[in-house]
Amino acid sequence: MNINSLITDNARLIPPQKAALKKLGIETVRDLLYHFPTRYGDTSETRNIVTLGKGDTAVVFGKITKLKTSKGFKTHIAMADAWVEDDTGKIHCVWFNQPYLAKMTPEDALVRIEGKVSERKKTQELYFSNPKIEVVNKLPTGVGDSLFGDDGKAHTLYPVYPESRGITSNWFYHKITDIFRSGLLDEIADPIPEEILKKYSLPGLKNALIWIHTPMKKEDADAARKRFAFEEVFLIQLEKQLARKMYEQNPAFIIEPNEKYLQEFIKRFPFEATPAQQKSIATIIEDFQKGHAMSRLLEGDVGSGKTAVAAATAYTIVTTVPEGRKFGNLQTAYMCPTEILATQHFESFIQYFSYLGIQVGLITGSGCRKFPSKLNPKGWTDISRSQLLKWVENGEIPILIGTHALIQKAVKFKNLAYVIIDEQHRFGLKQRASLVQKDADGLARAPHLLSMTATPIPRTLALTIYGDLDLTLLDQMPHGRKPIITEIVKVNERDAVYVKIHEELKAGRQAYVICPRINEPDPDKEMAINAKSVKEEAKRLKEKVFQEYEIGILHSKMKPAEKDRVMLDFKAGKIHILCATSVVEVGVNVPNATVIIIEGAERFGLAQLHQLRGRVIRSNHQAYCYIFAETKSDKTVERLQALKTAKNGFELAEYDLKFRGSGELSGGKQWGVSDIAMEALQNIKMVEAARTEAQKMIEDDSTFKKYPEIRKQLELRKEDAKHWE
């Protein structure tokens, strides 16, 4: 056995186990060792059945008998039930919508049961409702023999792993302890240099693996989790700093703007520029003057004016004459995630630049446009793709806006000096390398890069996933924007809200209704989430609430062209109410939409709710957000109240990270960060330490000659990234 051995070569697996491991992404021994527990139970808190009372949340161990499947008398819901018995008594267990448990659990097996104790009203009989069940080989100390060996030092902490049907935490525990017994840990080299481990009091790799899977005490498990969190953030930072160093090795255009003309351009904004916008513009222009390519992230709330910052900084580029010439313009490329957003920015840039007579192009999968038109100097015209590409290549079009079509090989610029990326989380090293183009003299120049996002990201996460970018915050809204009136609506208050929305619609405004699902849940499906669906809610609203208004539907399973058509109809006012999932197009500007209802709000993170709410802050009209939460939990209602008190999206993102867990930040998978590293993002000192150490290492030894294990780990991460692309 070695760390790269396949699990199938080292363990007998039945088909359900193979399927479960595949679903969890576990193929090798290394994958298994790095499949960490999400939490730890404590068998020292195990209860005897005789001591249980109504409302207790408890763990019991015992023998399971009389397992059977049945259907509810009135509901006809499929269910499994059984009895669990220990030396002190027995208790009934019932599992709704999980009849397969009766087939998977052997009669008379020893089991661990964890759940809440309920009581039948008529008979006052106690029972477990939908408890977690796990077959064990032995009973823990205090109940019988030790579950974790007979050496007299029983582990009272037991690991609880991310599971999939067919694989239990118990299976993971025993397979991992088999690996420990094989002596393999002595052969694995630690990628983190010893001096860094000592500096931050982190355990070595062998100890950390033992402590995270089989901790004797909670402090050991915490130390191990801290070490692996640091390791991952450190490796991410190394990747990011290396990417930055490579990008900055190419020379860039030095821009010396005319401050007087720039301020005249900014004064033409349709609103007065905020101090935050002025500061952001100044910071970006400072970067333009440094001689190496800028790499910066501009993070701002929805409606904070990022596009205006992009336009002002693009102005300094396209009014600069290329070095060694007396005429012409440097070029700017502006990349957007969707065609509808690219078209919107094309129209915005026409408004910003039309008085200068600067040409602006648009390229998407649907076609190409150019401003100004020869026939209509104040308007744009459709042109052929080949003609647009020709004008871009010879430098006649200084500003080109588009979707991913912008970075295709066929698109060649003469003097590309500036690239703006809007909401592109997956714009990585490969895409950035493709921007570096040779000029007429054969010199490879890297354009300045500005990445923009409206997604509220806590500072620690931004420093990690955008570790190669300098961070600028736009934390002020344009003058004249009224704060959104946000209300947390209880079930019995809906009708009053619908009356208010009727008034807004009568005044000519429009509304969004956001639902957590596309379709209604399948009642026969196990563990189906009972949440409102777009299709059924749109139907209900049309039939019972807003009969006289046109209601449209938008969700992720629609084709791009169909989504664009719906959004354009909504923007044009043909649709009065848009019923959608949370995929509502990022940044699409519909100034006339002033109301948003968010159904099942407890299912969204606060930062996501805030971003959805931002759809209706696109004008100086008063905007309203109604949060519909189907919950009786005071804690959930208190969390949602933060939407009314927080100053901006960054505060809410930090709140979510602190109080609700990193998993609520749109999910770690979106950012390519594991759960354990997401936990670390609550610790700004750790992230900054990892960043500092990575920067030092890159400066000292960017080829990792002294650190071959780190080079191996970075190569492994590259392979993993390819696997998940």
Side-chain angles (χ1 to χ4, degrees):
M1 182 193 294
N2 65 57
I3 198 162
N4 297 313
S5 299
L6 294 174
I7 294 168
T8 47
D9 295 341
N10 291 280
R12 289 182 182 177
L13 300 172
I14 58 175
Q17 290 173 328
K18 287 179 181 176
L21 290 171
K22 186 176 180 182
K23 190 174 179 182
L24 292 165
I26 299 170
E27 294 179 3
T28 65
V29 170
R30 182 182 182 278
D31 295 336
L32 195 56
L33 283 173
Y34 279 80
H35 185 70
F36 297 144
T38 51
R39 62 185 177 86
Y40 303 89
D42 194 341
T43 57
S44 66
E45 296 171 4
T46 299
R47 299 275 295 275
N48 288 321
I49 290 172
V50 73
T51 66
L52 298 177
K54 179 187 173 184
D56 289 349
T57 297
V59 175
V60 300
F61 285 84
K63 184 166 74 171
I64 194 162
T65 57
K66 298 181 182 175
L67 264 163
K68 63 178 182 180
T69 58
S70 59
K71 286 196 174 180
F73 180 68
K74 290 183 180 177
T75 60
H76 299 290
I77 292 172
M79 51 202 275
D81 66 84
W83 289 87
V84 172
E85 185 176 4
D86 67 10
D87 292 341
T88 67
K90 62 181 181 178
I91 188 168
H92 199 197
C93 300
V94 182
W95 294 272
F96 299 100
N97 284 319
Q98 300 175 67
Y100 59 87
L101 287 174
K103 295 174 185 174
M104 291 176 62
T105 312
E107 184 74 6
D108 292 330
L110 298 177
V111 293
R112 175 186 175 278
I113 296 287
E114 179 183 358
K116 191 169 183 178
V117 180
S118 303
E119 183 182 75
R120 296 191 193 281
K121 285 182 183 176
K122 288 184 180 178
T123 62
Q124 294 185 329
E125 177 196 50
L126 297 178
Y127 69 101
F128 277 110
S129 176
N130 283 332
K132 184 173 178 185
I133 180 172
E134 186 178 346
V135 176
V136 298
N137 296 329
K138 297 178 182 180
L139 297 178
T141 305
V143 182
D145 294 328
S146 170
L147 176 63
F148 300 126
D150 305 311
D151 57 3
K153 289 185 179 178
H155 293 234
T156 61
L157 291 177
Y158 59 88
V160 180
Y161 293 90
E163 298 174 354
S164 187
R165 186 174 168 182
I167 291 280
T168 65
S169 289
N170 197 44
W171 185 92
F172 281 119
Y173 178 85
H174 287 292
K175 283 291 170 285
I176 286 165
T177 50
D178 285 346
I179 295 170
F180 289 175
R181 288 189 199 104
S182 74
L184 179 66
L185 295 192
D186 294 321
E187 300 170 20
I188 304 173
D190 195 328
I192 300 186
E194 198 172 334
E195 61 270 24
I196 293 178
L197 293 174
K198 282 181 181 174
K199 186 174 180 180
Y200 298 105
S201 303
L202 299 171
L205 182 59
K206 180 179 178 180
N207 277 350
L209 284 168
I210 292 169
W211 288 356
I212 203 163
H213 289 292
T214 59
M216 294 296 287
K217 53 185 187 287
K218 187 176 182 295
E219 290 78 7
D220 289 348
D222 290 344
R225 293 183 84 80
K226 182 182 172 185
R227 178 244 146 80
F228 286 116
F230 179 91
E231 180 180 322
E232 185 169 343
V233 174
F234 177 59
L235 290 171
I236 291 171
Q237 292 287 356
L238 284 172
E239 288 172 329
K240 301 293 183 183
Q241 298 302 325
L242 197 58
R244 180 174 190 142
K245 188 179 176 74
M246 287 172 67
Y247 192 63
E248 289 181 349
Q249 281 174 350
N250 299 296
F253 293 93
I254 295 174
I255 312 299
E256 298 287 353
N258 182 309
E259 190 61 33
K260 181 189 169 189
Y261 291 153
L262 174 61
Q263 288 307 317
E264 282 179 13
F265 181 88
I266 292 169
K267 279 177 187 171
R268 288 175 171 268
F269 285 177
F271 49 82
E272 185 184 341
T274 63
Q277 285 177 311
Q278 289 280 15
K279 188 179 176 184
S280 299
I281 292 165
T283 302
I284 291 166
I285 288 169
E286 274 179 35
D287 285 350
F288 287 170
Q289 297 169 323
K290 289 178 180 174
H292 60 73
M294 174 185 78
S295 296
R296 185 166 290 279
L297 171 68
L298 180 65
E299 189 181 358
D301 260 348
V302 172
S304 60
K306 294 183 296 298
T307 308
V309 171
T313 50
Y315 168 84
T316 66
I317 298 288
V318 299
T319 54
T320 298
V321 176
E323 199 177 324
R325 301 230 202 108
K326 293 182 179 178
F327 60 89
N329 313 79
L330 294 179
Q331 292 170 296
T332 294
Y334 192 142
M335 192 166 83
C336 307
T338 63
E339 289 193 13
I340 193 167
L341 197 55
T343 304
Q344 181 178 294
H345 286 319
F346 174 66
E347 290 166 358
S348 296
F349 267 54
I350 288 172
Q351 290 174 357
Y352 284 124
F353 288 93
S354 58
Y355 81 98
L356 293 165
I358 284 176
Q359 296 196 51
V360 183
L362 174 71
I363 181 169
T364 68
S366 299
C368 300
R369 294 175 186 173
K370 182 184 85 73
F371 169 86
S373 161
K374 285 182 182 177
L375 298 175
N376 176 15
K378 292 186 178 179
W380 53 264
T381 183
D382 287 314
I383 61 171
S384 70
R385 186 181 177 85
S386 58
Q387 184 63 65
L388 179 76
L389 293 179
K390 182 182 172 185
W391 283 336
V392 170
E393 190 171 1
N394 68 21
E396 284 182 58
I397 294 183
I399 300 172
L400 183 62
I401 297 167
T403 53
H404 257 87
L406 270 177
I407 55 170
Q408 291 174 353
K409 285 182 181 177
V411 183
K412 293 184 174 70
F413 292 85
K414 186 165 189 178
N415 296 294
L416 181 62
Y418 190 25
V419 174
I420 302 161
I421 311 290
D422 199 354
E423 290 292 352
Q424 291 289 321
H425 300 311
R426 296 182 73 81
F427 192 84
L429 185 59
K430 260 190 201 173
Q431 289 89 344
R432 201 177 303 184
S434 70
L435 300 174
V436 179
Q437 297 187 349
K438 290 185 179 178
D439 62 16
D441 302 320
L443 181 67
R445 288 188 189 265
H448 298 287
L449 176 68
L450 180 70
S451 187
M452 305 196 302
T453 181
T455 306
I457 310 169
R459 185 160 173 258
T460 47
L461 182 55
L463 284 173
T464 302
I465 61 164
Y466 296 113
D468 51 338
L469 303 178
D470 295 317
L471 185 61
T472 297
L473 292 183
L474 263 184
D475 51 7
Q476 291 174 305
M477 299 301 275
H479 300 294
R481 291 276 166 91
K482 297 172 186 172
I484 298 176
I485 294 172
T486 301
E487 291 184 24
I488 314 299
V489 182
K490 294 174 184 172
V491 178
N492 60 350
E493 298 170 339
R494 281 174 177 256
D495 290 344
V497 169
Y498 290 145
V499 170
K500 291 178 186 175
I501 295 171
H502 265 290
E503 290 170 7
E504 283 291 300
L505 294 171
K506 276 180 192 171
R509 308 280 173 254
Q510 292 163 277
Y512 292 97
V513 177
I514 307 299
C515 299
R517 298 180 63 99
I518 297 172
N519 297 298
E520 284 294 285
D522 182 350
D524 297 325
K525 195 172 181 182
E526 291 157 14
M527 306 298 283
I529 296 170
N530 188 18
K532 290 221 171 191
S533 73
V534 166
K535 291 179 180 177
E536 285 302 310
E537 188 62 6
K539 185 179 172 186
R540 184 186 76 82
L541 291 173
K542 181 66 178 172
E543 290 175 358
K544 298 182 179 178
V545 187
F546 300 109
Q547 293 93 334
E548 66 270 45
Y549 294 104
E550 190 64 34
I551 299 178
I553 285 174
L554 185 75
H555 56 77
S556 58
K557 290 192 177 173
M558 292 164 67
K559 290 178 180 174
E562 198 179 353
K563 281 198 275 187
D564 282 353
R565 181 184 56 76
V566 170
M567 278 309 298
L568 287 169
D569 283 350
F570 185 55
K571 196 173 180 182
K574 295 177 186 175
I575 292 171
H576 305 106
I577 299 169
L578 184 62
C579 205
T581 55
S582 57
V583 302
V584 174
E585 298 291 351
V586 173
V588 170
N589 193 356
V590 185
N592 196 46
T594 58
V595 178
I596 186 165
I597 287 174
I598 304 174
E599 292 278 3
E602 67 275 14
R603 301 185 187 281
F604 298 103
L606 289 176
Q608 192 178 13
L609 288 171
H610 175 72
Q611 202 176 10
L612 288 168
R613 176 172 65 175
R615 298 294 115 234
V616 292
I617 193 167
R618 292 294 182 167
S619 70
N620 289 338
H621 298 303
Q622 181 59 62
Y624 302 88
C625 174
Y626 297 106
I627 304 290
F628 285 8
E630 296 182 7
T631 178
K632 293 176 183 173
S633 162
D634 291 339
K635 191 178 177 184
T636 303
V637 172
E638 183 189 339
R639 184 177 70 85
L640 293 172
Q641 289 291 344
L643 286 162
K644 298 176 79 168
T645 56
K647 295 185 189 75
N648 52 49
F650 310 115
E651 265 190 34
L652 289 169
E654 297 287 354
Y655 185 100
D656 256 352
L657 184 61
K658 188 175 178 183
F659 293 103
R660 203 165 178 236
S662 52
E664 302 306 326
L665 295 168
S666 305
K669 283 182 183 174
Q670 177 180 338
W671 308 110
V673 179
S674 76
D675 291 342
I676 202 164
M678 289 292 280
E679 287 173 24
L681 299 179
Q682 295 179 56
N683 185 345
I684 184 74
K685 285 184 180 176
M686 178 187 283
V687 172
E688 286 176 339
R691 186 182 174 92
T692 301
E693 295 302 333
Q695 286 170 338
K696 277 185 197 168
M697 188 172 282
I698 295 291
E699 284 169 22
D700 179 49
D701 180 14
S702 62
T703 58
F704 307 111
K705 285 180 184 174
K706 297 179 194 170
Y707 309 105
E709 284 307 316
I710 283 182
R711 189 166 62 240
K712 276 185 198 173
Q713 289 298 318
L714 293 175
E715 285 166 4
L716 270 173
R717 288 180 62 81
K718 263 190 202 172
E719 287 302 311
D720 286 346
K722 280 183 195 170
H723 180 70
W724 292 109
E725 274 176 3

